[in-house]
Amino acid sequence: MNIRPATLEDAERINALCQTLGYSPTLAQTEEQLSRVMKQHRDALFVAEVCDLVVGFITLHTVDVVHDVQPWGRISSLVVDENFRDMTIGKQLLDHAEIYLKQQNCMRIEVTSHISREEAHGFYLHLGYRITPLRFIKLLAQRVLVAAS
């Protein structure tokens, strides 16, 4: 297995992986988002490959906060193809993220995970993450669903 920075050529597989979580971006939208993330020097997106097939990805962000002297790391997505989940790919992506965020001088890592993803919660708890107090979210825009043509 190989972990490397994502490229625009990975958009189709990343798009398919997002769809396994119930998100429905078009390929063009995924390409646009990948391009944005890759241009941000405080963001990173890594993919996991097995036999030249992208089977997972992780998206990282380095965030400055006023109340701490060091930035915080945030993992906003970690997805592994369900056919490859028994291969420790998620753990290897998470280990890679921790090394990367330490190199960015982050003092902590925050993972966002939907409340319904109980299997993912168990995964993070098993790897030393802990559940913290509540987060409150207010949508500022509605997601527009586009029918496939």
Side-chain angles (χ1 to χ4, degrees):
M1 202 231 6
N2 179 44
I3 296 176
R4 62 168 174 76
T7 67
L8 283 178
E9 288 77 34
D10 301 317
E12 191 171 336
R13 279 295 296 157
I14 290 171
N15 182 272
L17 290 166
C18 287
Q19 291 180 6
T20 67
L21 293 182
Y23 298 103
S24 55
T26 65
L27 181 55
Q29 289 169 326
T30 299
E31 289 171 339
E32 184 178 329
Q33 289 303 105
L34 280 176
S35 181
R36 282 186 192 159
V37 168
M38 291 187 296
K39 288 178 185 173
Q40 299 297 322
H41 76 281
R42 308 283 316 255
D43 296 342
L45 198 153
F46 296 98
V47 296
E49 287 182 314
V50 173
C51 298
D52 295 324
L53 176 68
V54 171
V55 297
F57 72 91
I58 191 166
T59 310
L60 312 174
H61 312 276
T62 303
V63 181
D64 287 316
V65 293
V66 173
H67 53 282
D68 273 325
V69 296
Q70 291 176 267
W72 292 5
R74 176 171 289 153
I75 298 171
S76 62
S77 58
L78 169 58
V79 185
V80 176
D81 184 312
E82 61 188 29
N83 297 311
F84 293 85
R85 288 188 183 156
D86 291 338
M87 297 176 61
T88 73
I89 291 169
K91 182 183 181 320
Q92 291 178 66
L93 282 166
L94 205 54
D95 290 345
H96 190 84
E98 289 178 15
I99 291 167
Y100 175 86
L101 291 169
K102 280 181 187 177
Q103 291 171 345
Q104 304 308 306
N105 201 32
C106 293
M107 69 167 295
R108 69 185 241 173
I109 300 174
E110 211 175 58
V111 177
T112 57
S113 180
H114 192 274
I115 195 165
S116 67
R117 301 194 200 290
E118 293 179 9
E119 185 178 335
H121 304 163
F123 168 75
Y124 293 120
L125 289 168
H126 178 73
L127 293 175
Y129 287 75
R130 61 186 174 90
I131 297 172
T132 58
L134 300 175
R135 280 180 89 164
F136 299 91
I137 297 173
K138 181 178 183 180
L139 294 179
L140 299 177
Q142 295 296 318
R143 191 174 290 159
V144 178
L145 298 177
V146 179
S149 43

